[in-house]
Amino acid sequence: MKKRLGWLSIICFVSMLCLTACSNETNQGANGNEEGQVSLTMTAWGNPAEQAVYQRAIDAYMEKNENVSIELIPAPGDTYLQQLLTQLQGSQAPDLFYVGEVQMAQLIATGRIIELTDFLESEESYVSIDDFAPGIWGPARKEDKIYGASVDANPMLLYYNKNVLAEVGIDPDEPQRLYEAGEWNWENFQRINEEVTASGKYGHVLETGAHHLFSWLWSNGGEMYGEDGSFVLADHTQGQETFSYLTENVWAGNFTYAGALPEGQGGDAMFMSNQTAFVSAGRWFTPMFSENEALDFDYIPYPTNTGEILEPSFIATAYLAVGDHTENKEEALRFLSYYTSEQGQRDRLENEGNAVPSVVSADDIIENATIPDHASYLIDTRDVGKVEDKQALVPGLSEQLESIFDLLFLGQLDLDEAIERLDKTANALIEENKQAQN
């Protein structure tokens, strides 16, 4: 009898071990740790060529982490923010998402994105805070707390279409010749656009986004905001000169205002079809333009009106953030750190990528790029450029001001009326934001 009880005890003990092991395996699969499959989702705006670039780093990470699957969900840029805010409110947003610098303050204010500082300083992270260019954080850093990691950088410059210039009788290398001679200025830029439009093609396609307007402002030493964040355009001569120059050229037909184009037609499509001479952007058009064998293009910095060869331009950047609703926080943070690390940026940006590294150790990606000829201008403009950090901190301010610039360039307001309305609108929103923070 004692022997029988002994064997029964052993059998029961072994059975309990098996049940415990099976239970642990089941729990591991449910929680998505190293024994189970973790599924993450990420959303970002961008054209199909840009989405393909994002996918490179996702594929590289999944190859290194076979238990992780990540689905990239493309989203339209025009409704991106509102859609994301609605999803976050209902805890239905993807685990990770791109956030533009002009959207960051509003996302932080929701309280629905995870603060990253401690993780980025931990051994679990693929990237550290010090790896990034120091001026890249902008509105993603609030009171020494970081809420988004820069995926890369996009200093703004001009793309010019060599085919269009040649077709209208202009030397396609003239922008480079003028720049190298220190004569790439507003006057010569206007002259070239006048010649282009006189021949039946379109001149520079002007857009009202902050990326574009601040680059033009700074090309003249202009400002819209003081160091304290106050709106100063109404008292800033160079700023008013900038908008006078842009408005006069739009109204004269030398520049084409993007807001006046038919729905669905943009500067990039016009450039691709060899209709327009100049568009402004970061590197994000490069993959798409490079695929068009009928297109011959190059970069050129913004023309200046200060006597200097090169002035600061806007550095556009997107940050990757994690929603606090994610069920796989640790893996989401690990992927975020990989995606924004040197290796993650190499995965995306090498071989004609769509941006410039925001980690300084990867500048050779641009230095070794072969398309277009003057890829090095991206480093030049990044090194003198800046992330706008006044307007971006006031939720909704960019959109409100862009609607007024829209009326200006459409000829529905004159410059004095527009500046008065800009001043009133900006001051009201800035004060409202101050009250909300107190």
Side-chain angles (χ1 to χ4, degrees):
M1 179 64 70
K2 289 181 179 180
K3 287 183 179 180
R4 184 179 300 171
L5 288 174
W7 280 110
L8 286 172
S9 298
I10 292 172
I11 292 170
C12 288
F13 179 73
V14 172
S15 298
M16 288 176 64
L17 287 177
C18 291
L19 287 171
T20 300
C22 291
S23 176
N24 285 342
E25 287 178 3
T26 301
N27 289 336
Q28 285 172 346
N31 294 332
N33 64 17
E34 63 184 29
E35 293 295 329
Q37 190 71 18
V38 176
S39 295
L40 297 173
T41 53
M42 178 180 123
T43 191
W45 61 81
N47 58 51
E50 290 179 282
Q51 295 288 333
V53 168
Y54 307 155
Q55 190 67 46
R56 295 179 195 170
I58 293 173
D59 291 342
Y61 186 80
M62 290 193 295
E63 186 175 342
K64 294 179 175 69
N65 299 270
E66 295 182 355
N67 67 309
V68 181
S69 64
I70 303 168
E71 179 187 3
L72 176 62
I73 304 172
D78 54 350
T79 59
Y80 183 84
L81 177 60
Q82 189 55 52
Q83 177 178 306
L84 182 57
L85 289 171
T86 301
Q87 290 174 329
L88 282 171
Q89 186 176 11
S91 297
Q92 298 297 315
D95 300 286
L96 303 103
F97 37 84
Y98 268 39
V99 183
E101 72 281 334
V102 297
Q103 304 159 341
M104 198 68 203
Q106 194 167 350
L107 266 293
I108 294 173
T110 67
R112 299 304 309 270
I113 59 177
I114 294 174
E115 195 270 312
L116 305 175
T117 315
D118 290 343
F119 181 80
L120 293 176
E121 292 176 342
S122 74
E123 294 183 357
E124 294 297 311
S125 178
Y126 285 89
V127 68
S128 70
I129 294 171
D130 292 339
D131 291 341
F132 293 91
I136 206 71
W137 296 106
R141 174 178 270 159
K142 183 178 181 181
E143 298 175 356
D144 295 327
K145 297 294 184 181
I146 293 170
Y147 293 86
S150 172
V151 298
D152 44 49
N154 258 307
M156 294 291 290
L157 39 60
L158 298 178
Y159 288 71
Y160 71 94
N161 190 314
K162 293 186 177 185
N163 293 339
V164 170
L165 295 185
E167 187 175 339
V168 302
I170 300 173
D171 180 354
D173 292 322
E174 183 166 4
Q176 301 297 340
R177 179 184 61 79
L178 290 169
Y179 181 71
E180 292 168 4
E183 298 174 359
W184 185 237
N185 53 41
W186 282 8
E187 181 181 357
N188 281 320
F189 185 66
Q190 178 174 325
R191 173 182 57 79
I192 291 174
N193 279 275
E194 287 174 347
E195 294 179 29
V196 169
T197 55
S199 299
K201 294 289 186 176
Y202 291 92
H204 171 55
V205 178
L206 176 68
E207 301 191 47
T208 58
H211 307 158
H212 309 275
L213 295 184
F214 278 100
S215 296
W216 278 112
L217 268 173
W218 296 336
S219 76
N220 192 40
E223 291 289 355
M224 281 206 293
Y225 299 92
E227 288 299 319
D228 61 352
S230 60
F231 192 78
V232 300
L233 180 62
D235 300 311
H236 203 280
T237 301
Q238 294 98 318
Q240 294 181 38
E241 285 177 350
T242 301
F243 293 114
S244 177
Y245 174 78
L246 296 176
T247 302
E248 290 173 2
N249 276 284
V250 169
W251 290 358
N254 302 323
F255 299 169
T256 299
Y257 175 47
L261 294 171
E263 186 175 354
Q265 183 174 11
D268 55 342
M270 294 171 65
F271 197 87
M272 289 273 284
S273 58
N274 292 310
Q275 297 180 65
T276 188
F278 296 95
V279 293
S280 55
R283 199 186 181 205
W284 58 78
F285 281 160
T286 304
M288 181 172 61
F289 288 174
S290 299
E291 293 174 358
N292 186 347
E293 295 181 358
L295 192 61
D296 189 7
F297 72 95
D298 205 346
Y299 301 144
I300 195 76
Y302 277 80
T304 67
N305 195 45
T306 61
E308 298 293 328
I309 295 176
L310 187 64
E311 290 287 357
S313 64
F314 192 114
I315 298 178
T317 188
Y319 303 97
L320 191 59
V322 177
D324 68 349
H325 62 283
T326 181
E327 296 180 358
N328 295 297
K329 176 181 176 180
E330 291 184 6
E331 195 60 58
L333 290 173
R334 276 175 51 80
F335 172 67
L336 174 145
S337 70
Y338 177 85
Y339 191 87
T340 60
S341 70
E342 177 184 344
Q343 186 56 54
Q345 295 198 37
R346 287 189 182 280
D347 293 338
R348 288 180 283 118
L349 304 181
E350 288 181 329
N351 301 318
E352 321 320 332
N354 68 332
V356 179
S358 56
V359 290
V360 297
S361 57
D363 280 357
D364 59 283
I365 293 174
I366 302 301
E367 294 165 356
N368 297 333
T370 58
I371 299 176
D373 291 341
H374 291 86
S376 61
Y377 287 162
L378 289 165
I379 298 296
D380 295 342
T381 51
R382 187 202 65 184
D383 288 347
V384 302
K386 47 189 175 181
V387 176
E388 197 285 315
D389 62 354
K390 305 294 190 303
Q391 183 168 294
L393 293 178
V394 182
L397 181 54
S398 289
E399 292 82 358
Q400 290 289 325
L401 298 193
E402 286 170 26
S403 67
I404 298 172
F405 283 117
D406 183 61
L407 296 176
L408 172 64
F409 296 132
L410 288 173
Q412 298 177 25
L413 292 175
D414 64 29
L415 184 58
D416 289 339
E417 290 173 328
I419 290 176
E420 181 179 353
R421 193 174 296 190
L422 290 164
D423 187 68
K424 181 178 180 180
T425 301
N427 284 323
L429 284 174
I430 291 169
E431 182 60 31
E432 182 181 318
N433 187 59
K434 286 181 180 178
Q435 294 297 328
Q437 291 181 345
N438 292 334

